[in-house]
Amino acid sequence: MKTKIIKINSNNPQQSTIAKCTTVLKNGGIVAFPTETVYGLGADGLNPKAIKKIFKVKNRPSDNPLIFHIANKQDIEILAKHIPEITQKLIKKFWPGPLTLILKKSKTIPQIATGKQDTVALRMPSNKIALSLIKSLGHPIVAPSANLFGKPSPTMAKHVFDDLNGKIDIIIDGGQTRIGIESTVLDLTSKIPTILRPGGISLSELKKILKNVEYHPILLGKKSRIAPKSPGMKYKHYSPNAKVILVKGSTKNSQQKIESLIQKLLLENKSIRLINYKSIQKNPLIISKFIGYEKDLIAKNIYKIFREFDKENADIIIVREINNSNLGFAIMNRLQKAASEII
Ligand code: TXA
Ligand code: MG
C-alpha cells in the first residue's frame, strides 16, 4: 500500500479532500488526521473490521481501548449510558477540546474498540479538519494517537509518515498540532471524577467546574492497590529510540548533575543531546536544542524534539524536570514515562 500525504487548509478544510478521505473511511480504510492535541489514526467507529486494522497497524495491545471522536455533543446519548449530571457542565465548558470523558458504554459501541471495559472514552476535538471529517462520515471516528505503539505521539504529518508509511491509506497534513500532548482522560464512572491521564486540560481548570476531582494514585507515583483503570497507564510510552535521562533537583543542583553526567557520557563516546528550556548553561561539547520558556511551547515541541534527536541518531537525551503545576504536570508525566533513568 502506498501512503499518500494530502495537504489541507487547516482553517477552512477543502471539502473535496474531506470527501476523498471519507470514502476511504467508509470503505473500511484508515486515515491519519490532525487534532488539536496530536495526530490520530482514524477508522469508522462503527466498523469492527476497520477498528481491528488500527490495532494491527500500530502494534497496539488489544486490551488498550480507543477514544471515540464525535462532532456533535448530543452523540454521547447514543454512545454512552448512565451519564452523570456533571457531564453536561463539563461538555459545555471544555468541548470541543482536549478532554476525554470515560462513561458507561452503550450497546452501540463495538466490543473490539473497548477491550474488556464496560466503559467508553469520548471526546469532541476542536480541530476543524477532525470535526469536518467526523461530520462527513456521519459516524464517530475511533482514533488512537497515530504513532507506532510506545513511540512519541506525532505532532506533524511527517512523524506519522515515518512510523506508518506503507501501512495506512492517507495522512491529512494540517500542519503542526497546537497543543502537542494528548487529551486529559477523565473517568466519570468512579465515585469521585478521576484523572487517568493528565493532558491538555489541567486539574485546576477542572476544579473550576468540579467540586471533587482527583488524580489517579498511580499518577502521583503511589503504589496503588487499585488496578490501572486505563489500560494505557501500565505501558511504557512516548519513548524515542535514544535513552532519555530525566534530571531532577533545584536549578543549581541539576546543573551540577547534568555537567557530571555529560563528562561521564563523553568518556563513553555517547552522542548526547540536551533539551534546553531554561537557564541551563550550555556545554560547548554537546548539542542542545532550545524548546521555549512557556509550558505550552514545551508541550507543543517535546515529542517533535524527541523525534528530531532520533533522526540525528542520538544515544542519550538529557532533560531537566519542569515545574509540576498546570500543564507542567502532564509534561512531567510524559517525561517520566519516556525516561529510562531519573537522576
Ligand atoms: O489527544 C488524544 O487523546 C489523542 C487524539 C488523537 O485524540 N488520542 C490518544 O489516543 O491519545 P490513545 O489511544 O493514544 O490514548 C487513549 C488513552 C489510553 O491511555 C487508553 O488506555 C485510554 O485513553 N482509554 C481509552 N478508552 C478507555 C476506557 N474505556 N477506560 C479507560 N481508559 C481508556
Ligand atoms: Mg497513544
Side-chain angles (χ1 to χ4, degrees), residues 24 45 51 60 113 122-123 140 144 201 207 211 227 234 239 330 339:
V24 172
I51 299 172
R60 182 180 176 105
L122 299 175
R123 143 165 149 81
I201 303 285
K207 277 188 171 163
K211 237 190 283 149
K234 66 180 184 235
S239 311

Side-chain angles (χ1 to χ4, degrees), residues 150-219:
K151 292 282 155 228
S153 295
T155 54
M156 300 175 85
K158 67 173 177 190
H159 301 160
V160 183
F161 188 81
D162 287 344
D163 277 14
L164 302 174
N165 179 23
K167 291 180 161 186
I168 59 174
D169 300 283
I170 294 183
I171 302 167
I172 308 179
D173 183 355
Q176 186 177 3
T177 57
R178 182 170 58 83
I179 297 173
I181 56 173
E182 304 82 350
S183 62
T184 300
V185 177
L186 181 69
D187 184 6
L188 294 180
T189 66
S190 46
K191 228 188 216 161
I192 298 176
T194 305
I195 296 177
L196 304 181
R197 177 178 72 181
I201 303 285
S202 68
L203 177 69
S204 51
E205 283 173 276
L206 290 172
K207 277 188 171 163
K208 288 182 194 156
I209 303 289
L210 295 171
K211 237 190 283 149
N212 263 330
V213 50
E214 59 189 25
Y215 286 125
H216 191 283
I218 289 182
L219 297 177

Side-chain angles (χ1 to χ4, degrees), residues 8 24 46 67 113 135 147 163 167 172 188 235 258 329:
I8 195 165
V24 172
L46 302 184
I67 298 174
K135 276 186 198 149
N147 51 288
D163 277 14
K167 291 180 161 186
I172 308 179
L188 294 180
Y235 298 112
I258 290 173
F329 189 85

Side-chain angles (χ1 to χ4, degrees), residues 24-252:
V24 172
L25 291 172
K26 281 196 171 146
N27 291 330
I30 293 183
V31 173
F33 63 97
T35 78
E36 69 279 23
T37 56
V38 300
Y39 275 74
L41 193 61
D44 180 342
L46 302 184
N47 179 343
K49 268 197 190 146
I51 299 172
K52 200 169 173 189
K53 275 190 206 161
I54 286 194
F55 286 94
K56 190 159 172 238
V57 159
K58 271 194 68 129
N59 298 334
R60 182 180 176 105
S62 60
D63 70 346
N64 198 0
L66 303 175
I67 298 174
F68 282 71
H69 296 70
I70 58 178
N72 268 319
K73 294 181 182 178
Q74 296 88 308
D75 285 357
I76 67 163
E77 312 284 345
I78 304 166
L79 302 171
K81 60 180 184 183
H82 310 317
I83 301 164
E85 230 170 86
I86 191 66
T87 314
Q88 282 311 327
K89 271 192 181 164
L90 287 166
I91 289 177
K92 193 160 177 235
K93 172 89 178 154
F94 297 112
W95 278 8
L99 178 68
T100 296
L101 299 176
I102 307 293
L103 293 161
K104 289 277 179 213
K105 73 179 180 189
S106 78
K107 284 201 183 110
T108 316
I109 304 291
Q111 183 69 18
I112 185 164
T114 52
K116 292 190 195 93
Q117 315 286 324
D118 61 352
T119 54
V120 61
L122 299 175
R123 143 165 149 81
M124 180 175 175
S126 65
N127 181 291
K128 286 188 182 153
I129 302 161
L131 285 173
S132 76
L133 193 61
I134 302 163
K135 276 186 198 149
S136 164
L137 179 66
H139 285 173
I141 292 182
V142 282
S145 51
N147 51 288
L148 281 176
F149 177 66
K151 292 282 155 228
S153 295
T155 54
M156 300 175 85
K158 67 173 177 190
H159 301 160
V160 183
F161 188 81
D162 287 344
D163 277 14
L164 302 174
N165 179 23
K167 291 180 161 186
I168 59 174
D169 300 283
I170 294 183
I171 302 167
I172 308 179
D173 183 355
Q176 186 177 3
T177 57
R178 182 170 58 83
I179 297 173
I181 56 173
E182 304 82 350
S183 62
T184 300
V185 177
L186 181 69
D187 184 6
L188 294 180
T189 66
S190 46
K191 228 188 216 161
I192 298 176
T194 305
I195 296 177
L196 304 181
R197 177 178 72 181
I201 303 285
S202 68
L203 177 69
S204 51
E205 283 173 276
L206 290 172
K207 277 188 171 163
K208 288 182 194 156
I209 303 289
L210 295 171
K211 237 190 283 149
N212 263 330
V213 50
E214 59 189 25
Y215 286 125
H216 191 283
I218 289 182
L219 297 177
L220 299 170
K222 292 185 188 149
K223 289 223 171 66
S224 168
R225 263 176 288 133
I226 315 163
K229 261 214 141 170
S230 187
M233 288 176 125
K234 66 180 184 235
Y235 298 112
K236 191 171 149 60
H237 256 115
Y238 320 115
S239 311
N241 298 325
K243 184 177 158 186
V244 176
I245 302 179
L246 175 60
V247 181
K248 292 202 159 183
S250 65
T251 311
K252 196 170 157 215

